[in-house]
Amino acid sequence: MKLLIALLSLLPLALAGLTFAAPAPDAQKVFPYPVERASLPNGLKVLMIPMPSDGLVSYWSVVRTGSRDEVEPGVTGFAHFFEHMMFKGSENYPGGEYDRIVASIGADSNAFTSEDLTAYHLSVTKDDLPTVIKIEADRFQRLKYDEPSFKTEAGAVYGEYRKNRTSPWGVLNEAVLDKAFDKHTYKHTVIGFEADIKTMPQHYDYSLSFFKRFYRPENVVLLIAGDFDRAETMKQITAAYGAWAPGYTAPKVEPEPEQTAIRRIVVPFEGKTLPILSLNWKGERLIGNDKQMLAGLMVGELAFGETSALYKQLVLDQRRVEMIGPDFGFSRDPGLWTVYTQVKDPADIEAVEQEIWQTVDSLQRTPVDPQRLADAISRVRYGFLTGLDTPDGVASSLARFIAMSGDVTVIDQMYVTLETLTPADVQQAAQRYLTRGRCTVATMHTQGEPLPAQKKAAAPAAPALTNPPIALPLTDPNVTIKLWFRAGSQDDPAGKEGLASLTAAMLDGGGTARVPYDEILARLYPLAAGYQVSVDKEMSVLTASVHRDLVDRFYPLLSDALLAPGFRADDFERIKSQRINYLEKTLRFSSDEELGKAVLLGRVFAGTRYAHLGVGTVESLKKITLDDVKQFYAQHYTRDNVTLALGGGYDASLQARLAADIARLPQGKPAVAAAPAPQPIAGRQVVLVQKPGDSTAISLGYPIDLKRGTKDYYALWIANSWLGEHRNQISHLFQVIREERGMNYGNYSYIEAFPNGGRLTMPPQGVGRRAQMFEIWIRPVPHDRAVFALRAGLREFERLAAQGMTQAQFDKQRNFLRKYCLQFATTSREKLGYAVDDKFFGLAAPGNLAMFRKAMDELTLADVNTAVKKYFQSKNLVIAMVTADAEALKAVLVSGKPSPINYGEIKKSKAILAEDKQIEKHPLGIRAEDVTIVGVEQVFQR
């Protein structure tokens, strides 16, 4: 806590570029003294703070230049070096005259340089203030030194650098900055790169130009605090500094690119040291009214300070580390926020690092205790205020603010904003800033005593996964994560159909053990991210998508959903109720086409584990308990039953993090159910669902033993695409039924599973099945045209099955697919989905998408027609129809009578009318005993 108070009492390290309003009203003031402001025509600003001090005055010259401003290569360290030269004499006070005067008045004089400023300060009596003004004004305007003294001092600076190398902390800091920054001038320490320090004696002329560039009135602020005559002091300052010529131009500091991957460095130390571990995150510059930034400062103390749980664990209770502490400062531009520790046992370094990350993860998942946050804010506030009891205490507390902003009004702004922080603010700050992608991890050890961690790769090795992961790195602003569990509705216990789907819904639609569902939604909202679990017959796939910049804010929510689902009773009842309502109200009465397709699938695969709807039945859902869900999760969501897939613009550390979390899942690999073996269909079996409505929905199909990845698969795709390419008006069924006759909205066919066809335009992923069904989907038509539409669909399919494709049809459709297949997977999410499906189907690289494109170049008409004759047949199939008058429809179907179509006033060509005569009499071959009528209330009931 002492460190945080010290940092916040010197808050200005990041305020450049801020615009500050007038002083806050009294109700919003924290700084207890008045501030009087003045400026000279040349741009010099003067801040005067009158306060009782028994005649003492603190006089500060704040130069708003530090090592940050050293943008030219080869001359780093000059801001610090120039601090030395400022004591070498001036035109009116040459050589040691300056030091003699300072000694004669009993002044306390010194200076310091940081990344963002150089400050010169003296503490004197008010009687000696005029003298101080004279000597300070002279050296700032008329500094004078010769080349020999310059070279001598350069040697002394190199000696200072070597002295710093005797401290492990100095060596570590130098290495960390160099590793963490790529472009920004924070890459070098204040004292500079060693190579540049060595060559400093050669840069006498550059030093003179440095003085002219940076030591200008617009770049300096005078700060005077204490007991003095303000009017007289201002008069003396005007006289002493008024002739100082302006001419400052701010250097162009190159911004640091966003860091997206964890970095690691191992630093040997020539002396003796306990191993030191530091984690260094890219932080933020100080923005006085930014709650998240200020909350980020509090994160360090709350997570790693002397009152933190981690400090108690590692330092006090287990005594595994000598010390641990945060250094969450701030600077003119975003700098580093650090936690550092000295580890007693080198073999324990990796474990300590993991416990630091676990602390971060916990803070990202769980808000801090409100009282603890309030106590920390109170201590910071009063720690700052108690340091303002002397003129020098006031001036030293304000100098950095002034360097950043040119004023001190940000103090009130900042401390007032601190008082408004909530635990949620701290949590969001941890999620935003303390990410692995923003972190540089450094480990220091005594040279010659290698650390155990050195034997490992620079990046942490991911735990070995039972199933090899799928990696699909792409240049993409998004990151997609897929976790495929080999479990689905086929694994539902008898009588509790829908359990797999309900379990998945509890993961993506319920709260976690730590966070309720409504709060999860609130946290996901600003991220524009999410995760969901899709369940098919044999696959449950958790898919998460997030912009790559937000991965680390999003990841704790995803990890919690997977590893610590809440399985809350209220979520369970809500989700189960929604599913029952979906079956009873939505599926039965709001979507005839989905209802018909579900009935078709159930009848084609009757007696197999594919037969029931994934969501279950009304009665089976009512039987499922929360304990059933917990048991299904424990049995199937195991580390041995999952395949990790990662795609898009992710960094290397994310895969390791995912692997580590997957390793936390329980062991176990449940047995895979046997592939469904549907019973042969004899003749044309019809299921009519009796349901009120204005139209009739039609689906028909039969099992098809077709394997993805085979030559037949791609050949048959061409034929099926010609017949009924999904949502595509060039297909034959679409033209015959919709375009030429206007009976409905669309007509399509499929050679493998295509659920949710009403919402999709391209083939779905995550529906891998070992048993497939050929299907024709005729979207709802008016009741009086239902039989005609059925005949039209069957007729065109039978003609294709009997005659195959013509050369012209083949050429046209193959050329279409050559380009159209490029649309199958345009996003990283879709490409990753295909990669997961390849794993399910056992397809080796290059996978289905590449094989599909290659096949379009290699297949012949003969290949296609061979596949057509092998797989297409229309004698033995199931027809499912949802209609308002099932008995009347049955009578027409089994009668064999013609079913003419009436276009009313719409004129049709002779060719179409002639073809209609053939369609209306096309044989249906349906027997009365093969027709089943089911009331809609019975469907999905049990």
Side-chain angles (χ1 to χ4, degrees):
M1 179 62 77
K2 293 177 183 177
L3 179 58
L4 181 62
I5 293 172
L7 288 170
L8 289 176
S9 69
L10 301 175
L11 273 175
L13 278 176
L15 300 175
L18 292 177
T19 300
F20 296 96
D26 289 346
Q28 296 294 302
K29 283 187 67 63
V30 174
F31 186 67
Y33 302 113
V35 180
E36 298 184 15
R37 296 167 176 82
S39 59
L40 302 187
N42 60 10
L44 179 68
K45 298 179 72 172
V46 183
L47 301 180
M48 295 178 288
I49 302 175
M51 60 180 292
S53 62
D54 295 327
L56 287 176
V57 179
S58 188
Y59 189 93
W60 284 59
S61 303
V62 180
V63 184
R64 300 176 66 188
T65 291
S67 59
R68 165 194 180 274
D69 300 272
E70 297 161 356
V71 296
E72 296 94 347
V75 286
T76 61
F78 256 89
H80 165 258
F81 178 55
F82 218 82
E83 172 206 322
H84 287 240
M85 298 311 301
M86 284 291 287
F87 290 89
K88 295 304 177 183
S90 61
E91 290 183 3
N92 295 323
Y93 306 100
E97 183 64 14
Y98 177 88
D99 291 337
R100 187 194 64 77
I101 294 174
V102 169
S104 70
I105 61 177
D108 181 8
S109 172
N110 216 323
F112 66 86
T113 306
S114 74
E115 296 89 345
D116 300 312
L117 78 153
T118 308
Y120 303 86
H121 52 94
L122 298 94
S123 181
V124 298
T125 67
K126 65 180 180 180
D127 295 337
D128 295 314
L129 183 57
T131 301
V132 169
I133 293 173
K134 287 180 182 179
I135 62 175
E136 290 299 278
D138 193 63
R139 68 169 172 164
F140 270 79
Q141 297 172 72
R142 290 174 286 275
L143 181 68
K144 188 175 182 179
Y145 55 84
D146 57 22
E147 189 168 4
S149 64
F150 170 82
K151 290 184 175 181
T152 299
E153 196 61 31
V157 170
Y158 187 52
E160 182 180 354
Y161 172 81
R162 293 304 306 163
K163 177 183 71 69
N164 291 342
R165 294 287 298 180
T166 64
S167 165
W169 301 102
V171 175
L172 182 64
N173 180 56
E174 182 179 13
V176 166
L177 293 178
D178 188 44
K179 183 71 173 180
F181 291 98
D182 296 324
K183 300 293 185 181
H184 196 280
T185 46
Y186 288 158
K187 184 176 180 66
H188 62 266
T189 63
V190 172
I191 202 168
F193 290 124
E194 182 179 12
D196 296 345
I197 300 171
K198 287 181 177 180
T199 62
M200 272 183 178
Q202 306 169 20
H203 296 296
Y204 173 71
D205 290 338
Y206 177 82
S207 74
L208 300 179
S209 69
F210 189 93
F211 179 68
K212 292 178 181 179
R213 288 168 57 200
F214 294 105
Y215 281 69
R216 293 289 188 171
E218 316 97 298
N219 196 39
V220 176
V221 178
L222 300 182
L223 171 63
I224 306 110
D227 179 10
F228 59 97
D229 186 317
R230 278 94 72 192
E232 180 60 28
T233 298
M234 197 62 222
K235 180 180 177 181
Q236 294 167 1
I237 287 174
T238 302
Y241 290 93
W244 193 3
Y248 170 72
T249 300
K252 295 182 179 179
V253 178
E254 188 170 357
E256 179 69 14
E258 182 73 16
Q259 181 178 332
T260 59
I262 196 168
R263 301 177 182 185
R264 291 185 176 271
I265 185 172
V266 177
V267 185
F269 179 59
E270 294 178 357
K272 289 286 187 178
T273 182
L274 282 176
I276 300 174
L277 170 69
S278 73
L279 278 68
N280 308 268
W281 293 274
K282 294 287 175 59
E284 179 61 275
R285 67 186 183 100
L286 179 63
I287 308 172
N289 61 355
D290 188 325
K291 293 179 67 174
Q292 194 164 85
M293 181 272 156
L294 293 172
L297 296 184
M298 303 303 298
V299 165
E301 180 60 28
L302 292 166
F304 310 113
E306 293 179 353
T307 63
S308 67
L310 187 64
Y311 184 93
K312 183 178 185 298
Q313 172 190 337
L314 295 180
V315 179
L316 302 180
D317 294 343
Q318 299 176 357
R319 301 179 184 177
R320 292 161 55 198
V321 303
E322 188 74 13
M323 51 77 64
I324 187 170
D327 184 1
F328 278 46
F330 39 84
S331 44
R332 196 168 195 166
D333 301 319
L336 295 180
W337 290 350
T338 298
V339 57
Y340 47 85
T341 181
Q342 284 186 301
V343 183
K344 294 183 178 181
D345 182 356
D348 200 24
I349 290 176
E350 185 175 352
V352 170
E353 181 188 342
Q354 292 307 312
E355 286 170 35
I356 291 173
W357 282 117
Q358 289 170 15
T359 297
V360 170
D361 290 343
S362 177
L363 191 62
Q364 291 171 337
R365 292 172 179 162
T366 309
V368 298
D369 177 69
Q371 186 58 53
R372 186 158 180 263
L373 174 59
D375 291 345
I377 293 172
S378 175
R379 184 168 175 84
V380 167
R381 176 189 176 104
Y382 288 104
F384 170 75
L385 293 175
T386 55
L388 305 179
D389 55 344
T390 67
D392 204 52
V394 168
S396 63
S397 296
L398 303 188
R400 297 179 185 274
F401 287 101
I402 293 167
M404 300 304 108
S405 68
D407 209 305
V408 296
T409 53
V410 71
I411 295 172
D412 292 329
Q413 188 181 44
M414 184 202 71
Y415 279 101
V416 168
T417 304
L418 274 173
E419 295 288 348
T420 69
L421 294 185
T422 67
D425 294 326
V426 175
Q427 183 180 19
Q428 290 169 12
Q431 293 169 349
R432 175 179 178 182
Y433 295 115
L434 269 63
T435 67
R436 284 164 170 78
R438 297 170 67 93
C439 189
T440 298
V441 180
T443 307
M444 168 167 273
H445 65 102
T446 299
Q447 188 169 320
E449 298 178 5
L451 297 171
Q454 286 184 285
K455 300 175 183 178
K456 300 182 180 181
L465 299 177
T466 302
N467 302 308
I470 299 168
L472 195 65
L474 298 168
T475 303
D476 192 314
N478 301 314
V479 174
T480 298
I481 301 165
K482 285 182 177 287
L483 298 175
W484 163 39
F485 294 88
R486 192 167 192 120
S489 61
Q490 69 169 8
D491 299 293
D492 290 337
K496 294 189 177 180
E497 290 79 10
L499 178 57
S501 181
L502 182 54
T503 302
M506 287 291 289
L507 298 182
D508 67 21
T512 67
R514 301 174 180 87
V515 185
Y517 185 57
D518 58 344
E519 188 174 334
I520 291 174
L521 293 177
R523 295 186 194 180
L524 289 172
Y525 181 77
L527 306 182
Y531 54 85
Q532 54 280 321
V533 187
S534 63
V535 177
D536 193 60
K537 303 302 179 185
E538 302 193 46
M539 302 179 74
S540 293
V541 182
L542 187 156
T543 302
S545 296
V546 63
H547 192 280
R548 62 188 176 196
D549 293 347
L550 302 173
V551 168
D552 287 285
R553 292 176 61 186
F554 169 71
Y555 188 84
L557 297 172
L558 173 64
S559 178
D560 250 10
L562 174 66
L563 299 175
F567 293 137
R568 302 164 184 257
D570 55 343
D571 287 336
F572 174 73
E573 294 301 331
R574 168 177 55 85
I575 293 171
K576 186 165 83 165
S577 175
Q578 289 171 343
R579 285 164 176 263
I580 293 173
N581 287 333
Y582 168 74
L583 291 174
E584 292 183 330
K585 307 295 193 301
T586 303
L587 189 54
R588 283 176 177 171
F589 296 100
S590 298
S591 180
D592 289 357
E593 52 195 41
E594 291 300 326
L595 172 61
K597 289 194 291 182
V599 169
L600 172 69
L601 182 69
R603 185 56 62 95
V604 168
F605 287 99
T608 75
R609 290 175 173 269
Y610 275 20
H612 69 272
L613 199 63
V615 74
T617 68
V618 173
E619 292 188 6
S620 68
L621 282 172
K622 290 179 178 179
K623 294 177 184 177
I624 295 174
T625 67
L626 186 54
D627 285 339
D628 292 329
V629 169
K630 293 177 181 178
Q631 183 177 352
F632 190 94
Y633 169 82
Q635 181 180 357
H636 295 280
Y637 285 76
T638 68
R639 63 173 177 259
D640 302 314
N641 200 39
V642 63
T643 297
L644 164 65
L646 189 58
Y650 62 91
D651 63 68
S653 66
L654 180 59
Q655 182 172 333
R657 194 175 185 185
L658 282 161
D661 276 348
I662 289 172
R664 294 164 58 191
L665 289 169
Q667 286 183 301
K669 192 173 183 68
V672 177
Q679 295 297 313
I681 299 170
R684 292 179 172 175
Q685 304 293 314
V686 180
V687 182
L688 302 179
V689 179
Q690 175 83 32
K691 173 190 167 295
D694 298 328
S695 57
T696 298
I698 306 169
S699 292
L700 56 98
Y702 58 89
I704 182 172
D705 186 20
L706 181 67
K707 306 300 182 184
R708 181 183 289 193
T710 63
K711 183 178 181 180
D712 282 351
Y713 171 83
Y714 302 110
L716 199 64
W717 191 294
I718 295 176
N720 181 75
S721 179
W722 174 85
L723 178 67
E725 181 69 55
H726 178 72
R727 304 291 289 273
N728 200 296
Q729 63 186 23
I730 71 168
S731 66
H732 187 63
L733 288 178
F734 193 99
Q735 291 294 316
V736 170
I737 299 175
R738 172 181 167 163
E739 291 296 286
E740 295 176 357
R741 292 169 174 82
M743 284 190 283
N744 65 357
Y745 186 68
N747 309 275
Y748 319 109
S749 60
Y750 311 91
I751 60 173
E752 63 179 1
F754 203 122
N756 301 311
R759 299 199 301 268
L760 300 176
T761 57
M762 293 294 161
Q765 302 89 48
V767 290
R769 300 179 184 180
R770 289 173 292 165
Q772 297 290 354
M773 175 179 72
F774 171 76
E775 177 183 3
I776 292 177
W777 171 25
I778 300 175
R779 304 191 80 166
V781 297
H783 294 313
D784 61 353
R785 298 182 178 186
V787 178
F788 184 92
L790 174 62
R791 279 179 154 138
L794 282 169
R795 178 176 179 267
E796 300 309 319
F797 176 53
E798 289 171 8
R799 292 172 69 187
L800 174 62
Q803 301 171 15
M805 298 181 72
T806 68
Q807 187 68 51
Q809 292 168 344
F810 167 76
D811 290 340
K812 181 179 179 180
Q813 206 65 30
R814 183 179 64 165
N815 289 337
F816 163 77
L817 285 173
R818 276 174 170 157
K819 296 180 179 179
Y820 191 66
C821 70
L822 300 176
Q823 308 297 323
F824 287 176
T826 58
T827 68
S828 61
R829 181 185 181 119
E830 293 163 341
K831 292 172 184 175
L832 193 65
Y834 271 99
V836 171
D837 290 351
D838 287 344
K839 183 81 83 170
F840 175 88
F841 287 108
L843 300 182
N848 179 55
L849 289 175
M851 295 169 71
F852 191 105
R853 295 164 190 163
K854 187 171 184 287
M856 293 306 107
D857 292 329
E858 297 178 349
L859 289 170
T860 65
L861 174 63
D863 295 329
V864 171
N865 286 336
T866 297
V868 165
K869 291 184 180 297
K870 181 176 180 181
Y871 294 99
F872 280 174
Q873 60 85 25
S874 63
K875 292 182 179 180
N876 305 302
L877 52 78
V878 175
I879 302 170
M881 305 177 74
V882 180
T883 191
D885 190 343
E887 288 293 349
L889 179 57
K890 175 182 177 180
V892 176
L893 291 173
V894 301
S895 70
K897 294 179 180 180
S899 53
I901 184 172
N902 184 353
Y903 298 108
E905 298 180 356
I906 299 174
K907 302 297 183 181
K908 294 293 180 182
S909 69
K910 291 182 180 180
I912 288 180
L913 294 176
E915 189 176 36
D916 286 350
K917 291 297 183 181
Q918 298 178 32
I919 293 174
E920 69 183 43
K921 295 182 293 185
H922 186 77
L924 290 175
I926 297 173
R927 302 182 305 171
E929 58 267 32
D930 292 330
V931 179
T932 303
I933 297 176
V934 181
V936 69
E937 292 84 1
Q938 297 173 263
V939 180
F940 315 129
Q941 184 63 28
R942 61 173 60 87

